[in-house]
PDB file of all heavy atoms in Angstrom:
ATOM      1  N   LEU A   1    -205.186 -42.423  90.116  1.00  0.00           N
ATOM      2  CA  LEU A   1    -205.331 -42.462  88.676  1.00  0.00           C
ATOM      3  C   LEU A   1    -203.967 -42.606  87.984  1.00  0.00           C
ATOM      4  O   LEU A   1    -203.835 -43.291  86.986  1.00  0.00           O
ATOM      5  CB  LEU A   1    -206.022 -41.154  88.222  1.00  0.00           C
ATOM      6  CG  LEU A   1    -206.049 -40.910  86.722  1.00  0.00           C
ATOM      7  CD1 LEU A   1    -206.938 -41.984  86.002  1.00  0.00           C
ATOM      8  CD2 LEU A   1    -206.554 -39.501  86.402  1.00  0.00           C
ATOM      9  N   TYR A   2    -202.954 -41.904  88.516  1.00  0.00           N
ATOM     10  CA  TYR A   2    -201.678 -41.830  87.816  1.00  0.00           C
ATOM     11  C   TYR A   2    -200.906 -43.135  87.874  1.00  0.00           C
ATOM     12  O   TYR A   2    -200.120 -43.429  87.007  1.00  0.00           O
ATOM     13  CB  TYR A   2    -200.827 -40.672  88.392  1.00  0.00           C
ATOM     14  CG  TYR A   2    -201.555 -39.372  88.360  1.00  0.00           C
ATOM     15  CD1 TYR A   2    -201.627 -38.593  89.490  1.00  0.00           C
ATOM     16  CD2 TYR A   2    -202.172 -38.918  87.199  1.00  0.00           C
ATOM     17  CE1 TYR A   2    -202.354 -37.382  89.461  1.00  0.00           C
ATOM     18  CE2 TYR A   2    -202.860 -37.727  87.109  1.00  0.00           C
ATOM     19  CZ  TYR A   2    -202.918 -36.954  88.318  1.00  0.00           C
ATOM     20  OH  TYR A   2    -203.617 -35.787  88.227  1.00  0.00           O
ATOM     21  N   ASP A   3    -201.214 -43.979  88.917  1.00  0.00           N
ATOM     22  CA  ASP A   3    -200.655 -45.313  88.878  1.00  0.00           C
ATOM     23  C   ASP A   3    -201.068 -46.130  87.677  1.00  0.00           C
ATOM     24  O   ASP A   3    -200.338 -46.809  87.062  1.00  0.00           O
ATOM     25  CB  ASP A   3    -200.993 -46.032  90.202  1.00  0.00           C
ATOM     26  CG  ASP A   3    -200.370 -45.432  91.447  1.00  0.00           C
ATOM     27  OD1 ASP A   3    -199.377 -44.673  91.246  1.00  0.00           O
ATOM     28  OD2 ASP A   3    -200.890 -45.635  92.542  1.00  0.00           O
ATOM     29  N   ALA A   4    -202.381 -45.969  87.378  1.00  0.00           N
ATOM     30  CA  ALA A   4    -202.923 -46.636  86.198  1.00  0.00           C
ATOM     31  C   ALA A   4    -202.383 -46.002  84.914  1.00  0.00           C
ATOM     32  O   ALA A   4    -202.056 -46.788  83.967  1.00  0.00           O
ATOM     33  CB  ALA A   4    -204.450 -46.588  86.182  1.00  0.00           C
ATOM     34  N   VAL A   5    -202.275 -44.750  84.892  1.00  0.00           N
ATOM     35  CA  VAL A   5    -201.793 -44.088  83.706  1.00  0.00           C
ATOM     36  C   VAL A   5    -200.341 -44.483  83.384  1.00  0.00           C
ATOM     37  O   VAL A   5    -199.993 -44.768  82.219  1.00  0.00           O
ATOM     38  CB  VAL A   5    -201.832 -42.563  83.858  1.00  0.00           C
ATOM     39  CG1 VAL A   5    -201.097 -41.818  82.746  1.00  0.00           C
ATOM     40  CG2 VAL A   5    -203.271 -42.062  83.880  1.00  0.00           C
ATOM     41  N   LEU A   6    -199.519 -44.639  84.386  1.00  0.00           N
ATOM     42  CA  LEU A   6    -198.104 -44.998  84.147  1.00  0.00           C
ATOM     43  C   LEU A   6    -197.952 -46.437  83.822  1.00  0.00           C
ATOM     44  O   LEU A   6    -196.839 -46.872  83.454  1.00  0.00           O
ATOM     45  CB  LEU A   6    -197.297 -44.646  85.408  1.00  0.00           C
ATOM     46  CG  LEU A   6    -197.083 -43.174  85.629  1.00  0.00           C
ATOM     47  CD1 LEU A   6    -196.192 -42.954  86.865  1.00  0.00           C
ATOM     48  CD2 LEU A   6    -196.444 -42.487  84.449  1.00  0.00           C
ATOM     49  N   ALA A   7    -199.062 -47.191  83.839  1.00  0.00           N
ATOM     50  CA  ALA A   7    -198.982 -48.600  83.355  1.00  0.00           C
ATOM     51  C   ALA A   7    -199.068 -48.613  81.806  1.00  0.00           C
ATOM     52  O   ALA A   7    -198.883 -49.655  81.193  1.00  0.00           O
ATOM     53  CB  ALA A   7    -200.134 -49.460  83.955  1.00  0.00           C
ATOM     54  N   THR A   8    -199.303 -47.474  81.221  1.00  0.00           N
ATOM     55  CA  THR A   8    -199.333 -47.301  79.762  1.00  0.00           C
ATOM     56  C   THR A   8    -198.070 -46.620  79.321  1.00  0.00           C
ATOM     57  O   THR A   8    -197.169 -46.294  80.197  1.00  0.00           O
ATOM     58  CB  THR A   8    -200.558 -46.407  79.368  1.00  0.00           C
ATOM     59  OG1 THR A   8    -200.274 -45.047  79.718  1.00  0.00           O
ATOM     60  CG2 THR A   8    -201.818 -46.881  80.117  1.00  0.00           C
ATOM     61  N   PRO A   9    -197.844 -46.406  78.071  1.00  0.00           N
ATOM     62  CA  PRO A   9    -196.623 -45.725  77.577  1.00  0.00           C
ATOM     63  C   PRO A   9    -196.548 -44.235  77.964  1.00  0.00           C
ATOM     64  O   PRO A   9    -195.567 -43.546  77.636  1.00  0.00           O
ATOM     65  CB  PRO A   9    -196.691 -45.867  76.094  1.00  0.00           C
ATOM     66  CG  PRO A   9    -197.497 -47.050  75.843  1.00  0.00           C
ATOM     67  CD  PRO A   9    -198.526 -47.030  76.906  1.00  0.00           C
ATOM     68  N   ILE A  10    -197.502 -43.746  78.703  1.00  0.00           N
ATOM     69  CA  ILE A  10    -197.516 -42.261  79.073  1.00  0.00           C
ATOM     70  C   ILE A  10    -196.541 -42.122  80.253  1.00  0.00           C
ATOM     71  O   ILE A  10    -196.581 -42.879  81.228  1.00  0.00           O
ATOM     72  CB  ILE A  10    -198.897 -41.858  79.511  1.00  0.00           C
ATOM     73  CG1 ILE A  10    -199.888 -41.952  78.288  1.00  0.00           C
ATOM     74  CG2 ILE A  10    -198.883 -40.390  79.979  1.00  0.00           C
ATOM     75  CD1 ILE A  10    -201.281 -41.598  78.617  1.00  0.00           C
ATOM     76  N   GLY A  11    -195.677 -41.098  80.149  1.00  0.00           N
ATOM     77  CA  GLY A  11    -194.717 -40.832  81.172  1.00  0.00           C
ATOM     78  C   GLY A  11    -195.162 -39.671  82.087  1.00  0.00           C
ATOM     79  O   GLY A  11    -196.200 -38.975  81.855  1.00  0.00           O
ATOM     80  N   PRO A  12    -194.452 -39.481  83.174  1.00  0.00           N
ATOM     81  CA  PRO A  12    -194.829 -38.435  84.166  1.00  0.00           C
ATOM     82  C   PRO A  12    -194.884 -37.006  83.640  1.00  0.00           C
ATOM     83  O   PRO A  12    -195.661 -36.256  84.012  1.00  0.00           O
ATOM     84  CB  PRO A  12    -193.835 -38.586  85.314  1.00  0.00           C
ATOM     85  CG  PRO A  12    -192.636 -39.302  84.630  1.00  0.00           C
ATOM     86  CD  PRO A  12    -193.233 -40.144  83.625  1.00  0.00           C
ATOM     87  N   GLY A  13    -193.907 -36.734  82.672  1.00  0.00           N
ATOM     88  CA  GLY A  13    -193.916 -35.416  82.084  1.00  0.00           C
ATOM     89  C   GLY A  13    -195.171 -35.177  81.304  1.00  0.00           C
ATOM     90  O   GLY A  13    -195.748 -34.078  81.308  1.00  0.00           O
ATOM     91  N   GLU A  14    -195.629 -36.232  80.603  1.00  0.00           N
ATOM     92  CA  GLU A  14    -196.857 -36.104  79.825  1.00  0.00           C
ATOM     93  C   GLU A  14    -198.096 -36.007  80.714  1.00  0.00           C
ATOM     94  O   GLU A  14    -199.105 -35.330  80.411  1.00  0.00           O
ATOM     95  CB  GLU A  14    -196.978 -37.309  78.894  1.00  0.00           C
ATOM     96  CG  GLU A  14    -195.964 -37.404  77.803  1.00  0.00           C
ATOM     97  CD  GLU A  14    -195.951 -38.729  77.120  1.00  0.00           C
ATOM     98  OE1 GLU A  14    -195.689 -39.774  77.791  1.00  0.00           O
ATOM     99  OE2 GLU A  14    -196.190 -38.712  75.888  1.00  0.00           O
ATOM    100  N   VAL A  15    -198.054 -36.649  81.889  1.00  0.00           N
ATOM    101  CA  VAL A  15    -199.085 -36.515  82.837  1.00  0.00           C
ATOM    102  C   VAL A  15    -199.194 -35.042  83.349  1.00  0.00           C
ATOM    103  O   VAL A  15    -200.288 -34.491  83.354  1.00  0.00           O
ATOM    104  CB  VAL A  15    -198.829 -37.414  84.085  1.00  0.00           C
ATOM    105  CG1 VAL A  15    -199.845 -37.072  85.204  1.00  0.00           C
ATOM    106  CG2 VAL A  15    -198.997 -38.874  83.698  1.00  0.00           C
ATOM    107  N   ALA A  16    -198.046 -34.424  83.574  1.00  0.00           N
ATOM    108  CA  ALA A  16    -198.047 -33.004  84.025  1.00  0.00           C
ATOM    109  C   ALA A  16    -198.645 -32.104  82.953  1.00  0.00           C
ATOM    110  O   ALA A  16    -199.452 -31.278  83.204  1.00  0.00           O
ATOM    111  CB  ALA A  16    -196.648 -32.608  84.371  1.00  0.00           C
ATOM    112  N   LEU A  17    -198.175 -32.302  81.669  1.00  0.00           N
ATOM    113  CA  LEU A  17    -198.631 -31.499  80.582  1.00  0.00           C
ATOM    114  C   LEU A  17    -200.120 -31.758  80.323  1.00  0.00           C
ATOM    115  O   LEU A  17    -200.909 -30.783  80.056  1.00  0.00           O
ATOM    116  CB  LEU A  17    -197.870 -31.812  79.339  1.00  0.00           C
ATOM    117  CG  LEU A  17    -198.278 -30.976  78.102  1.00  0.00           C
ATOM    118  CD1 LEU A  17    -198.029 -29.512  78.350  1.00  0.00           C
ATOM    119  CD2 LEU A  17    -197.437 -31.414  76.866  1.00  0.00           C
ATOM    120  N   GLY A  18    -200.582 -33.000  80.463  1.00  0.00           N
ATOM    121  CA  GLY A  18    -202.016 -33.301  80.246  1.00  0.00           C
ATOM    122  C   GLY A  18    -202.834 -32.630  81.300  1.00  0.00           C
ATOM    123  O   GLY A  18    -203.927 -32.046  80.972  1.00  0.00           O
ATOM    124  N   GLU A  19    -202.388 -32.674  82.515  1.00  0.00           N
ATOM    125  CA  GLU A  19    -203.189 -32.018  83.617  1.00  0.00           C
ATOM    126  C   GLU A  19    -203.239 -30.508  83.446  1.00  0.00           C
ATOM    127  O   GLU A  19    -204.261 -29.867  83.632  1.00  0.00           O
ATOM    128  CB  GLU A  19    -202.643 -32.395  84.959  1.00  0.00           C
ATOM    129  CG  GLU A  19    -202.812 -33.853  85.387  1.00  0.00           C
ATOM    130  CD  GLU A  19    -204.252 -34.236  85.571  1.00  0.00           C
ATOM    131  OE1 GLU A  19    -205.201 -33.437  85.336  1.00  0.00           O
ATOM    132  OE2 GLU A  19    -204.517 -35.396  86.010  1.00  0.00           O
ATOM    133  N   VAL A  20    -202.084 -29.915  83.071  1.00  0.00           N
ATOM    134  CA  VAL A  20    -202.071 -28.512  82.831  1.00  0.00           C
ATOM    135  C   VAL A  20    -202.967 -28.127  81.598  1.00  0.00           C
ATOM    136  O   VAL A  20    -203.740 -27.207  81.670  1.00  0.00           O
ATOM    137  CB  VAL A  20    -200.595 -27.994  82.555  1.00  0.00           C
ATOM    138  CG1 VAL A  20    -200.629 -26.548  82.068  1.00  0.00           C
ATOM    139  CG2 VAL A  20    -199.805 -28.114  83.868  1.00  0.00           C
ATOM    140  N   GLY A  21    -202.854 -28.972  80.628  1.00  0.00           N
ATOM    141  CA  GLY A  21    -203.667 -28.713  79.421  1.00  0.00           C
ATOM    142  C   GLY A  21    -205.143 -28.777  79.672  1.00  0.00           C
ATOM    143  O   GLY A  21    -205.950 -27.940  79.208  1.00  0.00           O
ATOM    144  N   TRP A  22    -205.563 -29.765  80.498  1.00  0.00           N
ATOM    145  CA  TRP A  22    -206.992 -29.822  80.879  1.00  0.00           C
ATOM    146  C   TRP A  22    -207.449 -28.622  81.636  1.00  0.00           C
ATOM    147  O   TRP A  22    -208.486 -28.078  81.472  1.00  0.00           O
ATOM    148  CB  TRP A  22    -207.290 -31.151  81.589  1.00  0.00           C
ATOM    149  CG  TRP A  22    -208.700 -31.188  82.070  1.00  0.00           C
ATOM    150  CD1 TRP A  22    -209.114 -31.084  83.354  1.00  0.00           C
ATOM    151  CD2 TRP A  22    -209.908 -31.307  81.320  1.00  0.00           C
ATOM    152  NE1 TRP A  22    -210.495 -31.149  83.466  1.00  0.00           N
ATOM    153  CE2 TRP A  22    -210.983 -31.256  82.197  1.00  0.00           C
ATOM    154  CE3 TRP A  22    -210.137 -31.449  79.931  1.00  0.00           C
ATOM    155  CZ2 TRP A  22    -212.322 -31.370  81.805  1.00  0.00           C
ATOM    156  CZ3 TRP A  22    -211.451 -31.555  79.504  1.00  0.00           C
ATOM    157  CH2 TRP A  22    -212.541 -31.497  80.412  1.00  0.00           C
ATOM    158  N   ALA A  23    -206.632 -28.244  82.629  1.00  0.00           N
ATOM    159  CA  ALA A  23    -206.928 -27.015  83.435  1.00  0.00           C
ATOM    160  C   ALA A  23    -206.995 -25.804  82.594  1.00  0.00           C
ATOM    161  O   ALA A  23    -207.853 -24.951  82.777  1.00  0.00           O
ATOM    162  CB  ALA A  23    -205.924 -26.910  84.580  1.00  0.00           C
ATOM    163  N   VAL A  24    -206.114 -25.676  81.607  1.00  0.00           N
ATOM    164  CA  VAL A  24    -206.176 -24.555  80.678  1.00  0.00           C
ATOM    165  C   VAL A  24    -207.424 -24.556  79.857  1.00  0.00           C
ATOM    166  O   VAL A  24    -208.129 -23.501  79.661  1.00  0.00           O
ATOM    167  CB  VAL A  24    -204.936 -24.492  79.790  1.00  0.00           C
ATOM    168  CG1 VAL A  24    -205.124 -23.496  78.674  1.00  0.00           C
ATOM    169  CG2 VAL A  24    -203.649 -24.183  80.595  1.00  0.00           C
ATOM    170  N   LEU A  25    -207.821 -25.759  79.439  1.00  0.00           N
ATOM    171  CA  LEU A  25    -209.058 -25.878  78.625  1.00  0.00           C
ATOM    172  C   LEU A  25    -210.273 -25.448  79.458  1.00  0.00           C
ATOM    173  O   LEU A  25    -211.194 -24.749  79.003  1.00  0.00           O
ATOM    174  CB  LEU A  25    -209.228 -27.300  78.133  1.00  0.00           C
ATOM    175  CG  LEU A  25    -210.452 -27.633  77.292  1.00  0.00           C
ATOM    176  CD1 LEU A  25    -210.480 -26.772  76.042  1.00  0.00           C
ATOM    177  CD2 LEU A  25    -210.499 -29.090  76.975  1.00  0.00           C
ATOM    178  N   ARG A  26    -210.289 -25.884  80.758  1.00  0.00           N
ATOM    179  CA  ARG A  26    -211.382 -25.492  81.592  1.00  0.00           C
ATOM    180  C   ARG A  26    -211.412 -24.011  81.821  1.00  0.00           C
ATOM    181  O   ARG A  26    -212.473 -23.377  81.759  1.00  0.00           O
ATOM    182  CB  ARG A  26    -211.304 -26.211  82.905  1.00  0.00           C
ATOM    183  CG  ARG A  26    -212.505 -26.013  83.874  1.00  0.00           C
ATOM    184  CD  ARG A  26    -212.454 -26.913  85.060  1.00  0.00           C
ATOM    185  NE  ARG A  26    -213.551 -26.659  85.948  1.00  0.00           N
ATOM    186  CZ  ARG A  26    -213.848 -27.340  87.068  1.00  0.00           C
ATOM    187  NH1 ARG A  26    -213.061 -28.386  87.361  1.00  0.00           N
ATOM    188  NH2 ARG A  26    -214.826 -27.022  87.860  1.00  0.00           N
ATOM    189  N   GLY A  27    -210.244 -23.416  82.053  1.00  0.00           N
ATOM    190  CA  GLY A  27    -210.168 -21.949  82.256  1.00  0.00           C
ATOM    191  C   GLY A  27    -210.602 -21.216  81.041  1.00  0.00           C
ATOM    192  O   GLY A  27    -211.272 -20.147  81.062  1.00  0.00           O
ATOM    193  N   ALA A  28    -210.251 -21.716  79.803  1.00  0.00           N
ATOM    194  CA  ALA A  28    -210.633 -21.076  78.548  1.00  0.00           C
ATOM    195  C   ALA A  28    -212.161 -21.123  78.373  1.00  0.00           C
ATOM    196  O   ALA A  28    -212.770 -20.170  77.933  1.00  0.00           O
ATOM    197  CB  ALA A  28    -209.958 -21.798  77.402  1.00  0.00           C
ATOM    198  N   LEU A  29    -212.764 -22.246  78.758  1.00  0.00           N
ATOM    199  CA  LEU A  29    -214.223 -22.365  78.600  1.00  0.00           C
ATOM    200  C   LEU A  29    -214.937 -21.409  79.566  1.00  0.00           C
ATOM    201  O   LEU A  29    -215.929 -20.774  79.122  1.00  0.00           O
ATOM    202  CB  LEU A  29    -214.662 -23.818  78.921  1.00  0.00           C
ATOM    203  CG  LEU A  29    -214.271 -24.871  77.909  1.00  0.00           C
ATOM    204  CD1 LEU A  29    -214.653 -26.251  78.438  1.00  0.00           C
ATOM    205  CD2 LEU A  29    -214.940 -24.575  76.571  1.00  0.00           C
ATOM    206  N   TYR A  30    -214.409 -21.242  80.733  1.00  0.00           N
ATOM    207  CA  TYR A  30    -214.969 -20.222  81.703  1.00  0.00           C
ATOM    208  C   TYR A  30    -214.867 -18.862  81.068  1.00  0.00           C
ATOM    209  O   TYR A  30    -215.770 -18.048  81.142  1.00  0.00           O
ATOM    210  CB  TYR A  30    -214.224 -20.300  83.003  1.00  0.00           C
ATOM    211  CG  TYR A  30    -214.574 -21.430  83.967  1.00  0.00           C
ATOM    212  CD1 TYR A  30    -215.287 -22.517  83.463  1.00  0.00           C
ATOM    213  CD2 TYR A  30    -214.225 -21.414  85.246  1.00  0.00           C
ATOM    214  CE1 TYR A  30    -215.647 -23.572  84.287  1.00  0.00           C
ATOM    215  CE2 TYR A  30    -214.562 -22.438  86.117  1.00  0.00           C
ATOM    216  CZ  TYR A  30    -215.266 -23.527  85.630  1.00  0.00           C
ATOM    217  OH  TYR A  30    -215.620 -24.538  86.476  1.00  0.00           O
ATOM    218  N   ALA A  31    -213.671 -18.515  80.519  1.00  0.00           N
ATOM    219  CA  ALA A  31    -213.459 -17.178  79.990  1.00  0.00           C
ATOM    220  C   ALA A  31    -214.352 -16.937  78.773  1.00  0.00           C
ATOM    221  O   ALA A  31    -214.919 -15.827  78.620  1.00  0.00           O
ATOM    222  CB  ALA A  31    -212.006 -17.025  79.582  1.00  0.00           C
ATOM    223  N   ILE A  32    -214.549 -17.950  77.888  1.00  0.00           N
ATOM    224  CA  ILE A  32    -215.379 -17.708  76.772  1.00  0.00           C
ATOM    225  C   ILE A  32    -216.822 -17.480  77.167  1.00  0.00           C
ATOM    226  O   ILE A  32    -217.514 -16.582  76.613  1.00  0.00           O
ATOM    227  CB  ILE A  32    -215.270 -18.903  75.791  1.00  0.00           C
ATOM    228  CG1 ILE A  32    -213.860 -19.017  75.109  1.00  0.00           C
ATOM    229  CG2 ILE A  32    -216.367 -18.921  74.687  1.00  0.00           C
ATOM    230  CD1 ILE A  32    -213.642 -20.267  74.369  1.00  0.00           C
ATOM    231  N   ALA A  33    -217.320 -18.269  78.154  1.00  0.00           N
ATOM    232  CA  ALA A  33    -218.667 -18.070  78.652  1.00  0.00           C
ATOM    233  C   ALA A  33    -218.847 -16.671  79.240  1.00  0.00           C
ATOM    234  O   ALA A  33    -219.863 -16.041  79.055  1.00  0.00           O
ATOM    235  CB  ALA A  33    -218.947 -19.171  79.666  1.00  0.00           C
ATOM    236  N   PHE A  34    -217.838 -16.200  79.982  1.00  0.00           N
ATOM    237  CA  PHE A  34    -217.962 -14.915  80.578  1.00  0.00           C
ATOM    238  C   PHE A  34    -217.883 -13.828  79.494  1.00  0.00           C
ATOM    239  O   PHE A  34    -218.576 -12.778  79.612  1.00  0.00           O
ATOM    240  CB  PHE A  34    -216.807 -14.726  81.563  1.00  0.00           C
ATOM    241  CG  PHE A  34    -217.068 -13.547  82.500  1.00  0.00           C
ATOM    242  CD1 PHE A  34    -217.876 -13.620  83.610  1.00  0.00           C
ATOM    243  CD2 PHE A  34    -216.438 -12.294  82.220  1.00  0.00           C
ATOM    244  CE1 PHE A  34    -218.085 -12.547  84.419  1.00  0.00           C
ATOM    245  CE2 PHE A  34    -216.631 -11.203  83.045  1.00  0.00           C
ATOM    246  CZ  PHE A  34    -217.459 -11.304  84.176  1.00  0.00           C
ATOM    247  N   MET A  35    -217.076 -14.015  78.437  1.00  0.00           N
ATOM    248  CA  MET A  35    -217.044 -13.096  77.306  1.00  0.00           C
ATOM    249  C   MET A  35    -218.395 -12.947  76.708  1.00  0.00           C
ATOM    250  O   MET A  35    -218.848 -11.852  76.244  1.00  0.00           O
ATOM    251  CB  MET A  35    -216.023 -13.491  76.348  1.00  0.00           C
ATOM    252  CG  MET A  35    -214.594 -13.190  76.719  1.00  0.00           C
ATOM    253  SD  MET A  35    -214.106 -11.418  76.383  1.00  0.00           S
ATOM    254  CE  MET A  35    -213.918 -11.469  74.573  1.00  0.00           C
ATOM    255  N   LEU A  36    -219.112 -14.088  76.558  1.00  0.00           N
ATOM    256  CA  LEU A  36    -220.448 -14.031  75.947  1.00  0.00           C
ATOM    257  C   LEU A  36    -221.435 -13.240  76.784  1.00  0.00           C
ATOM    258  O   LEU A  36    -222.255 -12.527  76.266  1.00  0.00           O
ATOM    259  CB  LEU A  36    -220.962 -15.453  75.765  1.00  0.00           C
ATOM    260  CG  LEU A  36    -220.211 -16.308  74.686  1.00  0.00           C
ATOM    261  CD1 LEU A  36    -220.773 -17.718  74.659  1.00  0.00           C
ATOM    262  CD2 LEU A  36    -220.314 -15.661  73.273  1.00  0.00           C
ATOM    263  N   VAL A  37    -221.256 -13.339  78.101  1.00  0.00           N
ATOM    264  CA  VAL A  37    -222.096 -12.524  79.010  1.00  0.00           C
ATOM    265  C   VAL A  37    -221.758 -11.067  78.833  1.00  0.00           C
ATOM    266  O   VAL A  37    -222.678 -10.205  78.775  1.00  0.00           O
ATOM    267  CB  VAL A  37    -221.851 -12.948  80.515  1.00  0.00           C
ATOM    268  CG1 VAL A  37    -222.544 -11.972  81.420  1.00  0.00           C
ATOM    269  CG2 VAL A  37    -222.366 -14.376  80.713  1.00  0.00           C
ATOM    270  N   MET A  38    -220.482 -10.727  78.754  1.00  0.00           N
ATOM    271  CA  MET A  38    -220.068  -9.312  78.533  1.00  0.00           C
ATOM    272  C   MET A  38    -220.624  -8.837  77.202  1.00  0.00           C
ATOM    273  O   MET A  38    -221.107  -7.609  77.164  1.00  0.00           O
ATOM    274  CB  MET A  38    -218.563  -9.238  78.529  1.00  0.00           C
ATOM    275  CG  MET A  38    -217.887  -9.472  79.841  1.00  0.00           C
ATOM    276  SD  MET A  38    -216.074  -9.603  79.762  1.00  0.00           S
ATOM    277  CE  MET A  38    -215.680  -7.960  79.191  1.00  0.00           C
ATOM    278  N   LEU A  39    -220.600  -9.645  76.199  1.00  0.00           N
ATOM    279  CA  LEU A  39    -221.158  -9.226  74.908  1.00  0.00           C
ATOM    280  C   LEU A  39    -222.678  -8.958  74.997  1.00  0.00           C
ATOM    281  O   LEU A  39    -223.199  -7.953  74.496  1.00  0.00           O
ATOM    282  CB  LEU A  39    -220.909 -10.302  73.871  1.00  0.00           C
ATOM    283  CG  LEU A  39    -221.469 -10.076  72.483  1.00  0.00           C
ATOM    284  CD1 LEU A  39    -220.760  -8.874  71.798  1.00  0.00           C
ATOM    285  CD2 LEU A  39    -221.189 -11.323  71.573  1.00  0.00           C
ATOM    286  N   ALA A  40    -223.405  -9.829  75.737  1.00  0.00           N
ATOM    287  CA  ALA A  40    -224.836  -9.657  75.939  1.00  0.00           C
ATOM    288  C   ALA A  40    -225.140  -8.407  76.708  1.00  0.00           C
ATOM    289  O   ALA A  40    -226.182  -7.803  76.457  1.00  0.00           O
ATOM    290  CB  ALA A  40    -225.419 -10.831  76.642  1.00  0.00           C
ATOM    291  N   LEU A  41    -224.279  -8.028  77.618  1.00  0.00           N
ATOM    292  CA  LEU A  41    -224.464  -6.841  78.426  1.00  0.00           C
ATOM    293  C   LEU A  41    -223.969  -5.506  77.746  1.00  0.00           C
ATOM    294  O   LEU A  41    -224.032  -4.464  78.338  1.00  0.00           O
ATOM    295  CB  LEU A  41    -223.805  -6.975  79.801  1.00  0.00           C
ATOM    296  CG  LEU A  41    -224.381  -8.035  80.729  1.00  0.00           C
ATOM    297  CD1 LEU A  41    -223.553  -8.149  81.985  1.00  0.00           C
ATOM    298  CD2 LEU A  41    -225.844  -7.730  81.054  1.00  0.00           C
ATOM    299  N   GLY A  42    -223.430  -5.674  76.550  1.00  0.00           N
ATOM    300  CA  GLY A  42    -222.942  -4.498  75.840  1.00  0.00           C
ATOM    301  C   GLY A  42    -221.689  -3.965  76.354  1.00  0.00           C
ATOM    302  O   GLY A  42    -221.449  -2.702  76.318  1.00  0.00           O
ATOM    303  N   LEU A  43    -220.758  -4.779  76.857  1.00  0.00           N
ATOM    304  CA  LEU A  43    -219.521  -4.377  77.470  1.00  0.00           C
ATOM    305  C   LEU A  43    -218.317  -4.537  76.539  1.00  0.00           C
ATOM    306  O   LEU A  43    -217.226  -4.221  76.931  1.00  0.00           O
ATOM    307  CB  LEU A  43    -219.258  -5.110  78.774  1.00  0.00           C
ATOM    308  CG  LEU A  43    -220.311  -4.956  79.826  1.00  0.00           C
ATOM    309  CD1 LEU A  43    -220.027  -5.856  81.025  1.00  0.00           C
ATOM    310  CD2 LEU A  43    -220.442  -3.461  80.257  1.00  0.00           C
ATOM    311  N   LEU A  44    -218.576  -4.944  75.282  1.00  0.00           N
ATOM    312  CA  LEU A  44    -217.511  -5.122  74.320  1.00  0.00           C
ATOM    313  C   LEU A  44    -217.730  -4.147  73.186  1.00  0.00           C
ATOM    314  O   LEU A  44    -218.753  -4.176  72.511  1.00  0.00           O
ATOM    315  CB  LEU A  44    -217.457  -6.577  73.784  1.00  0.00           C
ATOM    316  CG  LEU A  44    -217.284  -7.668  74.842  1.00  0.00           C
ATOM    317  CD1 LEU A  44    -217.336  -9.019  74.146  1.00  0.00           C
ATOM    318  CD2 LEU A  44    -215.971  -7.481  75.616  1.00  0.00           C
ATOM    319  N   HIS A  45    -216.750  -3.249  72.930  1.00  0.00           N
ATOM    320  CA  HIS A  45    -216.905  -2.188  71.987  1.00  0.00           C
ATOM    321  C   HIS A  45    -215.799  -2.088  70.938  1.00  0.00           C
ATOM    322  O   HIS A  45    -215.849  -1.196  70.086  1.00  0.00           O
ATOM    323  CB  HIS A  45    -216.998  -0.794  72.694  1.00  0.00           C
ATOM    324  CG  HIS A  45    -218.028  -0.776  73.843  1.00  0.00           C
ATOM    325  ND1 HIS A  45    -219.339  -0.865  73.614  1.00  0.00           N
ATOM    326  CD2 HIS A  45    -217.886  -0.681  75.169  1.00  0.00           C
ATOM    327  CE1 HIS A  45    -220.039  -0.749  74.758  1.00  0.00           C
ATOM    328  NE2 HIS A  45    -219.116  -0.696  75.702  1.00  0.00           N
ATOM    329  N   THR A  46    -214.834  -2.977  70.961  1.00  0.00           N
ATOM    330  CA  THR A  46    -213.725  -2.880  70.135  1.00  0.00           C
ATOM    331  C   THR A  46    -213.288  -4.278  69.650  1.00  0.00           C
ATOM    332  O   THR A  46    -213.387  -5.248  70.354  1.00  0.00           O
ATOM    333  CB  THR A  46    -212.480  -2.203  70.794  1.00  0.00           C
ATOM    334  OG1 THR A  46    -211.352  -2.298  70.009  1.00  0.00           O
ATOM    335  CG2 THR A  46    -212.231  -2.941  72.139  1.00  0.00           C
ATOM    336  N   PRO A  47    -212.778  -4.335  68.336  1.00  0.00           N
ATOM    337  CA  PRO A  47    -212.286  -5.683  67.845  1.00  0.00           C
ATOM    338  C   PRO A  47    -211.120  -6.142  68.704  1.00  0.00           C
ATOM    339  O   PRO A  47    -210.841  -7.390  68.667  1.00  0.00           O
ATOM    340  CB  PRO A  47    -211.887  -5.312  66.410  1.00  0.00           C
ATOM    341  CG  PRO A  47    -212.674  -4.117  66.065  1.00  0.00           C
ATOM    342  CD  PRO A  47    -212.812  -3.312  67.302  1.00  0.00           C
TER     343      PRO A  47
END
């Protein structure tokens, strides 16, 4: 994939940040979903 990406104006540093950013987004989605489960189970009691 990255061979194709570097054929565009995107540089390797941006590739690294993009991959980290996507992984962070995925982790955040997992965390939000788990927080909703905690809320449903009555495990959240404070702002």
Side-chain angles (χ1 to χ4, degrees):
L1 172 66
Y2 306 128
D3 292 340
V5 169
L6 289 182
T8 73
I10 298 176
E14 294 169 299
V15 170
L17 181 60
E19 292 293 6
V20 169
W22 173 251
V24 169
L25 180 60
R26 185 171 178 177
L29 291 174
Y30 282 15
I32 291 171
F34 194 81
M35 281 279 285
L36 293 175
V37 172
M38 292 171 62
L39 180 63
L41 293 176
L43 300 176
L44 302 178
H45 308 293
T46 171

